[in-house]
């Protein structure tokens, strides 16, 4: 993930497997849409830059990050995709909801990775405030959507 020390948006494209013919599902949350749309667009652009045909990228929105589990699960079970990317943004608020949602999504997506043969890429940004999310969705620390796309292509090349 993009941190103060590492910005994976500046990947070396010569080391990324070409995505021609790969089919990618992207499920993204509408909650905090300023952030999730930027992450989604970053992922799509990076996939296309690395050879994936635009018509082989299928987008599906869900209301909030908690619904990423169901959306990703449906995509995986459809058998249509070589990889699925789940994108959301949870910003810490005044209630324990942040922890419940983060833990729920992490556990749900992890379960899919163990139980099925399609890699599910974790594109959930979890931050203390909006600025930190902006910095990681096209700001100072790159775009985690780019990183998800690169990760998806690496996982497909390695295991499919
Ligand atoms: N969804 C997000 O994607 N990001 C959030 O920061 C977020 N915060 C929430 C805070 C509260 C208090 C509630 C009730 C929901 C929040 N959700 C958030 C929505 C959640 O992921 C889900 O869509 C709803 O709980 C309906 O299942």
């Amino acid at each position: 993930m993009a941190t103060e020390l590492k910005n994976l948006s500046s990947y070396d494209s010569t080391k990324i497997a070409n995505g021609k013919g790969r089919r990618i599902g992207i499920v993204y949350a509408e909650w905090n849409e300023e952030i999730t749309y930027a992450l989604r667009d970053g992922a799509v652009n990076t996939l296309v830059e690395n050879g994936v045909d635009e018509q082989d990228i299928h987008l599906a929105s869900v209301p909030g990050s908690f619904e990423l589990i169901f959306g990703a699960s449906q995509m995986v079970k459809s058998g249509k995709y070589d990889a699925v990317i789940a994108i959301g943004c949870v910003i810490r608020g005044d209630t324990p909801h942040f922890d419940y949602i983060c833990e729920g999504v992490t556990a749900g997506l992890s379960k899919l990775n163990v139980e099925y043969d399609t890699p599910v890429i974790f594109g959930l940004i979890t931050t203390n405030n909006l600025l930190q999310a902006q910095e990681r969705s096209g700001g100072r620390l790159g775009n985690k959507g780019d990183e998800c796309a690169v990760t998806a292509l690496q996982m497909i090349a390695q295991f499919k």
Side-chain angles (χ1 to χ4, degrees), residues 29 31-32 63-67 88-92 95 97-98 101 124:
W31 196 289
N32 294 321
S65 290
F66 191 73
E67 285 71 45
C89 171
V90 193
I91 298 176
R92 191 180 287 280
T95 70
H97 249 81
F98 175 89
I101 294 171
L124 184 72

Side-chain angles (χ1 to χ4, degrees), residues 4-19:
E4 296 284 347
L5 300 175
K6 193 163 189 171
N7 175 356
L8 289 179
S9 291
S10 42
Y11 62 90
D12 179 353
S13 62
T14 61
K15 293 188 180 152
I16 306 301
N18 190 273

Side-chain angles (χ1 to χ4, degrees), residues 10 13 16-17 26 32 48 59 62-63 78 87 96 106 120-121 123 128 134 146 148 156 158:
S10 42
S13 62
I16 306 301
I26 300 179
N32 294 321
V48 170
L59 304 177
V62 292
S78 76
I87 286 173
T106 304
V120 177
I121 311 305
N128 289 324
Q134 288 167 335
D146 299 351
C148 288
I156 295 167
Q158 190 71 28

Side-chain angles (χ1 to χ4, degrees), residues 66 69 98-110:
F66 191 73
I69 306 164
F98 175 89
D99 299 305
Y100 291 122
I101 294 171
C102 294
E103 283 168 21
V105 176
T106 304
L109 298 183
S110 301

Side-chain angles (χ1 to χ4, degrees), residues 49-122:
E49 275 165 25
N50 286 281
V52 181
D53 288 330
E54 213 153 345
Q55 66 263 27
D56 288 333
I57 303 171
H58 294 179
L59 304 177
S61 66
V62 292
S65 290
F66 191 73
E67 285 71 45
L68 290 173
I69 306 164
F70 185 82
S73 173
Q74 292 296 298
M75 283 186 162
V76 165
K77 290 173 187 168
S78 76
K80 290 183 188 164
Y81 306 104
D82 296 304
V84 170
I85 298 172
I87 286 173
C89 171
V90 193
I91 298 176
R92 191 180 287 280
D94 295 332
T95 70
H97 249 81
F98 175 89
D99 299 305
Y100 291 122
I101 294 171
C102 294
E103 283 168 21
V105 176
T106 304
L109 298 183
S110 301
K111 195 162 185 272
L112 291 176
N113 273 308
V114 174
E115 292 184 356
Y116 295 90
D117 290 333
T118 302
V120 177
I121 311 305
F122 187 77

Side-chain angles (χ1 to χ4, degrees), residues 1-8 135-136 140-142 147:
M1 140 172 212
T3 67
E4 296 284 347
L5 300 175
K6 193 163 189 171
N7 175 356
L8 289 179
E135 288 174 340
R136 290 159 177 79
R140 179 174 76 87
L141 296 173
E147 180 194 335

